[in-house]
Amino acid sequence: MLRLLLPVSAFLGLHVIAALGLPLPLWGADVLAFYPRWVVIPFAIAAGMLQLPAAADKGMGLLTRITPHLARLPAQSLLLAFAGLTLFVALSSAAHLLGDGSMLLNELPHNLRLDNFRVGRAPLLFWLLRELYSVVQPFGLTAEATFRLYSYASGFAYLLLVFPVSRAAGKELGGGALVAVFLLTPACLQLFCGYIETYPLLATGLLLYLWCGLLVLRGSLSPAWSAGLLGVLLACHFMFVTLVPSLVYLVWRRRQNSGSLLALALTPTLFAAILQLLEVSPLSFVMGQPEGHLLPLLASPQPAPPRL
């Protein structure tokens, strides 16, 4: 339990410190700071109670009584996914065109008429969206409806994975229940409320990779599964190159098994094969990634330039 609570406490602590207005130039840790105090204060109290062994044990006991059947029955995963899908549709984002939303909506019908569709950093996702649009367009669905459908479906798949991942991550039911709570409460769930972007499926893919990696560590799967999945994810978005060290670690942990080292070659092979099928040059795609692709995690906010 202590090994589980330490990273949880550090994660919660970063958010609480940033929400209290203390200087913390760590990108993504200031999410709570944008909420009103009536949200921040209960969050801080609950986070503090987790540091008390008695309160933590009591909370784990409550989760254990609530979630044993939910974590074990496949039918309950479906129930969770359909309940979540209902909420995603009911709470559809009114700010769904933030970022590149408007541009993507304008490009999608145009890409349908072109052989050379947009690649960006997510060639497989752009291809998937184009194919989805070509299927639903005859039924009168617009480009916006296509993106929303893609967002809802990504959320449905994410929720289907929550209980299996929790079961694999927690050696005991209490730990697994805590993992489930954290998987059901991240800010990325907002991507599943009809947000117009390519990102929703990335969150689901990342969760699938986590589940696969956990099963590899337990000896239930070969590292080749993680390697193959990572090859597909790289074609979905090049940011998944940051997961390559985790794959190396999985192969190293299973190095006694014959063929584990060969699994490393599966990732670039499958990645290149998918790009070739999409008529994208793998070398040009990789070399064409702009500098500064990764987020500046330690960057401080900069003041907006004056308007002319």
Side-chain angles (χ1 to χ4, degrees), residues 207-241:
L207 189 58
L208 181 60
Y209 180 79
L210 173 61
W211 184 31
C212 193
L214 290 169
L215 295 179
V216 170
L217 290 176
R218 292 173 53 183
S220 302
L221 281 181
S222 164
W225 287 91
S226 291
L229 177 59
L230 185 55
V232 175
L233 292 177
L234 277 172
C236 287
H237 201 291
F238 194 65
M239 74 164 191
F240 283 110
V241 71

Side-chain angles (χ1 to χ4, degrees), residues 138-191:
F139 297 96
L141 294 184
T142 63
E144 179 176 338
T146 302
F147 271 99
R148 286 191 180 274
L149 181 62
Y150 165 79
S151 172
Y152 300 144
S154 300
F156 184 84
Y158 178 95
L159 293 178
L160 281 179
L161 292 170
V162 166
F163 286 148
V165 172
S166 304
R167 215 166 40 242
K171 293 183 179 180
E172 56 192 26
L173 186 58
L178 183 60
V179 172
V181 169
F182 273 85
L183 291 178
L184 289 172
T185 53
C188 71
L189 291 186
Q190 298 173 85
L191 294 173

Side-chain angles (χ1 to χ4, degrees), residues 25-31 121 199 202 237-242 290-300:
L26 185 60
W27 192 92
D30 59 350
V31 175
R121 296 172 180 170
Y199 303 143
L202 300 182
H237 201 291
F238 194 65
M239 74 164 191
F240 283 110
V241 71
T242 57
E291 295 183 6
H293 181 75
L294 300 180
L295 290 171
L297 293 179
L298 300 179
S300 300

Side-chain angles (χ1 to χ4, degrees), residues 240-258:
F240 283 110
V241 71
T242 57
L243 296 180
V244 170
S246 68
L247 177 63
V248 174
Y249 174 74
L250 290 175
V251 171
W252 177 78
R253 284 288 302 268
R254 297 291 305 277
R255 62 190 181 279
Q256 296 86 356
N257 294 21
S258 59

Side-chain angles (χ1 to χ4, degrees), residues 301-308:
Q302 299 296 322
R307 296 192 177 188
L308 300 178

Side-chain angles (χ1 to χ4, degrees), residues 3 55 57 64 98 127 132 138 158 178 198 234 237 296-297 305:
R3 288 170 51 185
D57 290 342
T64 300
L98 292 176
W127 174 85
L132 178 60
Y158 178 95
L178 183 60
T198 58
L234 277 172
H237 201 291
L297 293 179

